[in-house]
Amino acid sequence: MRRGPIYRSSGMQGESIRLQNRLVLSTGEALTAADVTSWSARAYCDGALVKKLVDASAVTTDYFFDTLQTGNGWDKDATGYNFEYVVAGDAFKSQGGKTYRIEFEAVTADEKVRWVWMVTLKPWMGA
Protein backbone atom coordinates (compact mmCIF):
# COMPACT_ATOMS: atom_id res chain seq x y z
CA MET A 1 0.00 0.00 0.00
CA ARG A 2 1.41 3.37 -1.04
CA ARG A 3 1.01 6.09 1.57
CA GLY A 4 1.56 9.72 0.76
CA PRO A 5 2.44 12.44 3.18
CA ILE A 6 -0.08 14.44 5.16
CA TYR A 7 -0.86 17.73 3.45
CA ARG A 8 -2.23 20.86 5.12
CA SER A 9 -4.60 23.57 3.99
CA SER A 10 -6.76 26.23 5.56
CA GLY A 11 -9.69 28.36 4.55
CA MET A 12 -12.66 30.26 5.82
CA GLN A 13 -15.69 28.41 7.14
CA GLY A 14 -18.19 27.91 4.31
CA GLU A 15 -15.77 28.43 1.41
CA SER A 16 -14.71 25.75 -1.07
CA ILE A 17 -11.18 24.38 -0.71
CA ARG A 18 -9.19 23.04 -3.67
CA LEU A 19 -6.92 20.08 -2.87
CA GLN A 20 -4.27 19.15 -5.44
CA ASN A 21 -1.67 16.38 -5.33
CA ARG A 22 1.01 14.74 -7.41
CA LEU A 23 0.41 11.05 -6.76
CA VAL A 24 2.69 8.18 -7.71
CA LEU A 25 2.48 4.42 -7.64
CA SER A 26 4.98 2.29 -5.71
CA THR A 27 6.92 1.98 -9.00
CA GLY A 28 7.46 5.75 -9.00
CA GLU A 29 5.22 6.27 -12.03
CA ALA A 30 2.54 8.95 -11.90
CA LEU A 31 -0.93 7.66 -11.05
CA THR A 32 -3.33 8.13 -13.99
CA ALA A 33 -7.11 8.03 -14.34
CA ALA A 34 -6.84 4.68 -16.13
CA ASP A 35 -4.90 3.19 -13.19
CA VAL A 36 -7.70 3.90 -10.70
CA THR A 37 -10.48 1.31 -10.48
CA SER A 38 -12.23 3.11 -7.61
CA TRP A 39 -11.55 5.84 -5.11
CA SER A 40 -13.02 7.31 -1.96
CA ALA A 41 -12.81 10.38 0.25
CA ARG A 42 -13.97 10.68 3.84
CA ALA A 43 -14.06 13.64 6.23
CA TYR A 44 -13.29 13.16 9.93
CA CYS A 45 -13.22 15.51 12.91
CA ASP A 46 -11.97 14.64 16.37
CA GLY A 47 -11.55 11.00 15.30
CA ALA A 48 -15.16 10.56 14.17
CA LEU A 49 -16.48 10.18 10.63
CA VAL A 50 -18.30 13.35 9.60
CA LYS A 51 -19.24 12.37 6.05
CA LYS A 52 -18.33 10.07 3.17
CA LEU A 53 -17.56 12.62 0.47
CA VAL A 54 -16.88 10.03 -2.24
CA ASP A 55 -17.69 6.36 -1.71
CA ALA A 56 -15.93 3.85 -3.99
CA SER A 57 -16.52 5.91 -7.13
CA ALA A 58 -15.38 4.60 -10.50
CA VAL A 59 -15.59 8.12 -12.01
CA THR A 60 -11.96 9.15 -12.27
CA THR A 61 -11.52 11.46 -15.27
CA ASP A 62 -12.85 14.52 -13.44
CA TYR A 63 -10.32 14.11 -10.61
CA PHE A 64 -7.27 12.16 -11.85
CA PHE A 65 -5.23 13.39 -14.82
CA ASP A 66 -3.06 11.46 -17.27
CA THR A 67 -0.69 14.42 -17.66
CA LEU A 68 0.60 16.68 -14.94
CA GLN A 69 -1.30 19.98 -14.65
CA THR A 70 0.24 23.29 -13.59
CA GLY A 71 -2.72 25.69 -13.61
CA ASN A 72 -5.82 26.19 -11.50
CA GLY A 73 -3.98 27.55 -8.48
CA TRP A 74 -1.04 25.11 -8.39
CA ASP A 75 2.00 26.98 -7.09
CA LYS A 76 4.12 24.27 -5.44
CA ASP A 77 6.50 23.76 -8.38
CA ALA A 78 6.68 23.71 -12.19
CA THR A 79 6.13 19.93 -12.40
CA GLY A 80 2.41 19.90 -11.61
CA TYR A 81 -0.33 17.76 -10.12
CA ASN A 82 -2.37 14.77 -11.31
CA PHE A 83 -5.22 14.81 -8.78
CA GLU A 84 -7.64 17.56 -7.84
CA TYR A 85 -10.66 17.59 -5.56
CA VAL A 86 -12.65 20.58 -4.43
CA VAL A 87 -14.34 20.27 -1.06
CA ALA A 88 -17.45 22.41 -1.45
CA GLY A 89 -18.13 24.81 1.40
CA ASP A 90 -21.41 22.98 2.06
CA ALA A 91 -20.09 19.43 1.49
CA PHE A 92 -20.59 18.61 5.17
CA LYS A 93 -21.57 20.43 8.34
CA SER A 94 -18.40 22.14 9.45
CA GLN A 95 -17.38 24.57 12.14
CA GLY A 96 -14.83 27.35 12.04
CA GLY A 97 -11.97 26.79 14.43
CA LYS A 98 -11.91 23.03 13.74
CA THR A 99 -9.49 20.92 11.74
CA TYR A 100 -10.93 18.23 9.48
CA ARG A 101 -9.01 15.20 8.28
CA ILE A 102 -9.87 14.30 4.68
CA GLU A 103 -8.68 10.78 3.86
CA PHE A 104 -8.36 9.72 0.23
CA GLU A 105 -7.84 6.22 -1.13
CA ALA A 106 -7.33 5.26 -4.77
CA VAL A 107 -7.53 1.54 -5.59
CA THR A 108 -5.61 0.21 -8.59
CA ALA A 109 -5.27 -3.34 -9.90
CA ASP A 110 -2.08 -3.78 -7.86
CA GLU A 111 -2.21 -1.48 -4.86
CA LYS A 112 -3.96 1.16 -2.79
CA VAL A 113 -2.67 4.71 -2.76
CA ARG A 114 -3.63 6.69 0.33
CA TRP A 115 -3.11 10.33 1.25
CA VAL A 116 -4.48 12.76 3.82
CA TRP A 117 -5.34 16.45 3.92
CA MET A 118 -5.67 18.26 7.24
CA VAL A 119 -7.98 21.19 6.53
CA THR A 120 -8.30 23.89 9.20
CA LEU A 121 -11.33 26.15 8.90
CA LYS A 122 -11.17 29.66 10.29
CA PRO A 123 -14.41 30.98 11.76
CA TRP A 124 -16.43 33.52 9.82
CA MET A 125 -17.74 36.10 12.27
CA GLY A 126 -19.50 38.41 9.79
CA ALA A 127 -23.03 38.36 8.46
Side-chain angles (χ1 to χ4, degrees):
M1 178 177 349
R2 175 92 174 140
R3 294 182 196 266
I6 295 176
Y7 302 94
R8 299 194 180 277
S9 183
S10 64
M12 295 300 293
Q13 177 182 356
E15 79 177 6
S16 296
I17 300 192
R18 183 178 309 277
L19 307 176
Q20 299 170 323
N21 295 95
R22 183 171 46 243
L23 304 171
V24 296
L25 299 166
S26 58
T27 60
E29 297 175 69
L31 182 69
T32 66
D35 293 326
V36 179
T37 57
S38 70
W39 70 286
S40 62
R42 290 178 170 75
Y44 296 87
C45 186
D46 299 328
L49 178 66
V50 174
K51 185 168 184 184
K52 292 180 182 178
L53 301 171
V54 178
D55 192 24
S57 176
V59 177
T60 59
T61 55
D62 293 338
Y63 306 96
F64 296 87
F65 305 101
D66 292 334
T67 58
L68 295 176
Q69 312 291 304
T70 56
N72 216 12
W74 178 262
D75 61 1
K76 183 176 178 180
D77 56 33
T79 305
Y81 64 94
N82 59 348
F83 173 80
E84 179 178 67
Y85 182 76
V86 177
V87 180
D90 61 354
F92 56 91
K93 185 174 176 152
S94 61
Q95 288 182 283
K98 295 264 188 181
T99 298
Y100 294 87
R101 179 183 175 103
I102 313 294
E103 293 186 353
F104 292 93
E105 181 179 76
V107 178
T108 73
D110 300 320
E111 64 186 296
K112 293 177 182 176
V113 180
R114 292 180 173 165
W115 64 104
V116 172
W117 276 91
M118 300 299 289
V119 177
T120 301
L121 298 179
K122 299 171 187 156
W124 179 251
M125 304 306 246

